């Protein structure tokens, strides 16, 4: 079961505004056939708006969408040949599983014999053949999501769009369905655009990630690139660098810089070409910080200074959480700032430790102004070794949240009457949906 394979899908300066609010600002992205791309970011970043623009549920304010060189953003949704999987499944409760899966084929007037064969194949792929006679209310959440996926792939779409399809499932079902989606993608060679706010989900599923903030692209790259080499402080914080410490640069060591944190030196990798005296942020993952107690060497190192060549940051343990083989610890530096790390050492609250980290695992960014754009204070005239890989995002003031994840085609999700109140982003999105898809 394979649809017409696309060559490239290109979004050129795609912009979407709701009144005076720009929910999506000049998104440029090229997707190759068979690629799995995840749009990643918190609520309000523009990811669902981008997906709805792709689907044809929202008209563009600016830019264009091109499929194999042909402009498609002015086509009606049903003429684009895309399949969509919604967050809330959007199944017909009075229909059986088989009829739900075959509904799109029926609307497309596919011959009955061919439709029946395609539905059977789709149900086999999602392992629901034994439940074909049941109605959605008789299925678990994971099974209902499988029905929604089968309904999308049975159409043999050129592109599959998934809008946070796992967010309503419990943790165990999310893991199971994650593997199921990846298996189907590999088996069918589907071109997929997937929206999520879950970093782990995006890392495990996607070939490439697009990290968004306030409608602007912050970084595009493979999971390894975004995880290991975040383009700026915002991406770092979103991808698991939980400890973010404002600091001042006191010196440079080739691609590394020495920063002062609470009166103690720390060596990190320069990501923005910072200069001595510059205001910066040091970003560190919990698993990259190591606690040294007494005269004991840090784990995996040969001396008390670790690999950074510094004596470490003095800290006091505050909270210890048991996570099986290791502990998750929150500690307080001498200036009161909190840091987070993981360790196999048996620590207790109020215990004194020194925290060290490999220099290449401490990322040093020029301090931004709250929008992912570094300020110019303390930056070198030209980018030095270890500078960030991604383009610097444009500066903008923080915006309100993006239109939410309601399915505009589902009457049950229509926004409630707000009376004389200012219409919400969600209601503006629903209002702007082309009438031909509100069925």
């Amino acid at each position: 079961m394979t649809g017409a394979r696309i060559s490239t899908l290109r979004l050129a300066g795609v912009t979407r505004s709701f009144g005076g609010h720009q929910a999506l600002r000049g998104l440029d992205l090229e997707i190759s056939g068979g690629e799995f791309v995840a749009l990643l970011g918190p609520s309000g970043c523009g990811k669902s708006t981008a997906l709805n623009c792709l689907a044809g549920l929202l008209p563009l304010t600016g830019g264009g969408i091109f499929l194999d060189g042909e402009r498609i953003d002015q086509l009606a949704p049903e003429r684009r040949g895309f399949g969509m999987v919604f967050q809330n499944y959007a199944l017909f409760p009075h229909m059986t599983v088989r009829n739900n899966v075959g509904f799109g084929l029926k609307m497309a007037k596919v011959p009955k014999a061919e439709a029946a064969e395609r539905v059977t194949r789709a149900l086999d792929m999602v392992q629901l053949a034994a439940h074909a006679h049941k109605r959605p209310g008789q299925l678990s959440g994971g099974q209902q999501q499988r029905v929604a996926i089968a309904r999308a792939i049975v159409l043999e779409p050129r592109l599959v769009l998934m809008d946070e399809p796992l967010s309503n499932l419990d943790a165990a079902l999310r893991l199971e369905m994650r593997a199921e989606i990846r298996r189907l993608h590999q088996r069918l060679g589907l071109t997929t655009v997937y929206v999520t706010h879950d970093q782990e989900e995006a890392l495990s599923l996607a070939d490439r990630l697009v990290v968004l903030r306030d409608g602007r692209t912050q970084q595009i790259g493979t999971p390894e690139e975004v995880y290991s080499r975040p383009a700026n402080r915002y991406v770092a914080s979103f991808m698991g660098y939980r400890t973010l410490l404002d600091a001042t640069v006191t010196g440079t060591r080739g691609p590394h810089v020495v920063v002062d944190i609470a009166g103690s030196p720390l060596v990190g990798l320069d990501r923005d070409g910072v200069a001595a005296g510059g205001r910066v942020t040091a970003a560190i993952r919990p698993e990259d910080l190591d606690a040294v107690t007494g005269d004991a060497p840090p784990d995996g190192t040969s001396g008390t200074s670790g690999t950074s060549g510094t004596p470490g940051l003095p800290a006091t343990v505050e909270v210890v959480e048991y996570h099986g083989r290791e502990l998750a610890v929150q500690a307080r530096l001498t200036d009161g700032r909190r840091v987070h790390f993981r360790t196999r050492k048996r620590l207790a609250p109020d215990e004194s430790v020194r925290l060290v980290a490999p220099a290449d695992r401490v990322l040093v960014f020029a301090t931004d102004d709250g929008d992912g754009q570094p300020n110019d204070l303390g930056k070198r005239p030209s980018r030095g070794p270890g500078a960030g890989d991604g383009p610097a995002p444009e500066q903008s003031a923080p915006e309100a949240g993006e239109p939410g994840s309601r399915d505009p085609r589902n009457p049950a999700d229509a926004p409630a009457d707000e009376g004389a109140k200012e219409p919400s982003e969600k209601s503006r999105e629903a209002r702007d949906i082309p009438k031909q898809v509100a069925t």
Side-chain angles (χ1 to χ4, degrees):
M1 179 181 291
T2 55
R5 182 71 173 263
I6 71 171
S7 176
T8 57
L9 174 70
R10 184 167 64 91
L11 285 72
V14 170
T15 300
R16 173 63 197 180
S17 298
F18 296 89
H21 168 58
Q22 275 195 315
L24 198 61
R25 306 166 185 241
L27 175 61
D28 291 307
L29 178 64
E30 187 166 306
I31 301 171
S32 299
E35 194 174 15
F36 195 121
V37 173
L39 306 181
L40 177 64
S43 297
C45 73
K47 56 188 186 296
S48 290
T49 298
L51 198 78
N52 285 330
C53 288
L54 261 176
L57 304 181
L58 286 174
L60 306 187
T61 306
I65 301 174
F66 301 85
L67 183 63
D68 294 338
E70 176 189 352
R71 185 162 185 172
I72 65 168
D73 54 89
Q74 295 177 347
L75 294 179
E78 64 271 16
R79 295 184 58 197
R80 300 188 186 193
F82 298 167
M84 192 155 184
V85 180
F86 297 97
Q87 180 179 356
N88 64 352
Y89 318 142
L91 302 178
F92 295 106
H94 63 288
M95 290 186 182
T96 64
V97 167
R98 173 172 285 277
N99 289 342
N100 265 286
V101 173
F103 182 77
L105 298 176
K106 182 179 179 181
M107 293 296 98
K109 302 189 185 317
V110 174
K112 288 185 178 180
E114 180 186 347
E117 181 182 350
R118 285 166 63 174
V119 169
T120 298
R121 287 204 308 268
L123 290 175
D124 286 340
M125 284 183 188
V126 297
Q127 303 172 32
L128 283 178
H131 302 277
H133 63 286
K134 295 181 180 178
R135 288 182 169 80
Q138 298 173 287
L139 305 177
S140 67
Q143 289 170 331
Q144 289 183 50
Q145 193 56 279
R146 283 197 176 107
V147 176
I149 292 171
R151 183 179 57 189
I153 65 175
V154 78
L155 299 171
E156 299 181 355
R158 296 188 289 179
L159 178 70
V160 176
L161 307 174
M162 296 190 176
D163 189 5
E164 303 204 54
L166 308 185
S167 60
N168 290 336
L169 305 180
D170 61 39
L173 275 177
R174 280 201 302 271
L175 288 175
E176 181 182 333
M177 287 305 302
R178 212 161 70 191
E180 187 76 14
I181 289 171
R182 188 63 188 173
R183 181 183 66 81
L184 287 170
H185 174 77
Q186 292 171 343
R187 178 176 176 181
L188 301 176
L190 299 171
T191 306
T192 305
V193 178
Y194 188 100
V195 162
T196 182
H197 63 273
D198 187 312
Q199 303 93 319
E200 184 179 345
E201 195 173 289
L203 289 168
S204 64
L205 284 172
D207 300 314
R208 275 194 304 156
L209 308 181
V210 180
V211 184
L212 296 170
R213 181 190 192 187
D214 292 336
R216 297 187 188 275
T217 304
Q218 300 294 299
Q219 186 171 3
I220 299 175
T222 66
E224 182 179 3
E225 288 169 348
V226 176
Y227 181 88
S228 302
R229 299 187 295 280
N232 54 42
R233 169 181 170 154
Y234 169 76
V235 178
S237 66
F238 195 74
M239 297 307 296
Y241 286 81
R242 193 173 179 192
T243 294
L244 298 170
L245 300 171
D246 291 334
T248 302
V249 178
T250 59
T252 61
R253 298 181 182 179
H256 299 93
V257 292
V258 182
V259 300
D260 177 84
I261 296 176
S264 297
L266 184 70
V267 179
L269 188 64
D270 182 4
R271 294 290 290 161
D272 276 332
V274 298
R279 292 185 291 122
V280 296
T281 298
I284 317 170
R285 292 184 183 278
E287 59 268 29
D288 291 331
L289 272 175
D290 188 24
V292 183
T293 57
D295 295 327
D299 292 342
T301 64
S302 57
T304 57
S305 62
T307 59
S308 67
T310 59
L313 306 177
T316 302
V317 174
E318 283 191 326
V319 178
V320 179
E321 298 177 3
Y322 177 73
H323 286 191
R325 292 185 178 181
E326 61 182 8
L327 302 175
V329 182
Q330 176 182 287
R332 185 181 67 255
L333 299 179
T334 55
D335 63 0
R337 287 183 289 178
R338 289 183 170 85
V339 295
H340 303 269
F341 64 94
R342 293 179 176 273
T343 182
R344 294 191 177 188
K345 295 184 175 75
R346 294 301 162 188
L347 301 178
D350 298 324
E351 188 171 351
S352 295
V353 296
R354 284 177 293 117
L355 300 175
V356 298
D360 286 344
R361 298 297 182 91
V362 180
L363 303 185
V364 178
F365 299 97
T367 300
D368 65 37
D369 296 314
D371 58 2
Q373 173 66 45
N375 62 50
D376 293 328
L377 297 178
K379 291 197 70 176
R380 298 177 190 169
S382 61
R383 298 173 70 82
D389 301 315
E394 300 176 32
Q395 188 168 351
S396 64
E399 298 282 356
E402 78 170 292
S405 56
R406 284 192 174 104
D407 170 13
R409 298 185 296 181
N410 187 346
D413 282 343
D417 182 10
E418 297 289 342
K421 294 182 181 179
E422 175 73 16
S424 68
E425 301 297 345
K426 293 182 182 179
S427 64
R428 285 198 293 267
E429 177 173 340
R431 179 192 65 197
D432 289 339
I433 299 294
K435 296 188 186 306
Q436 65 265 29
V437 300
T439 58

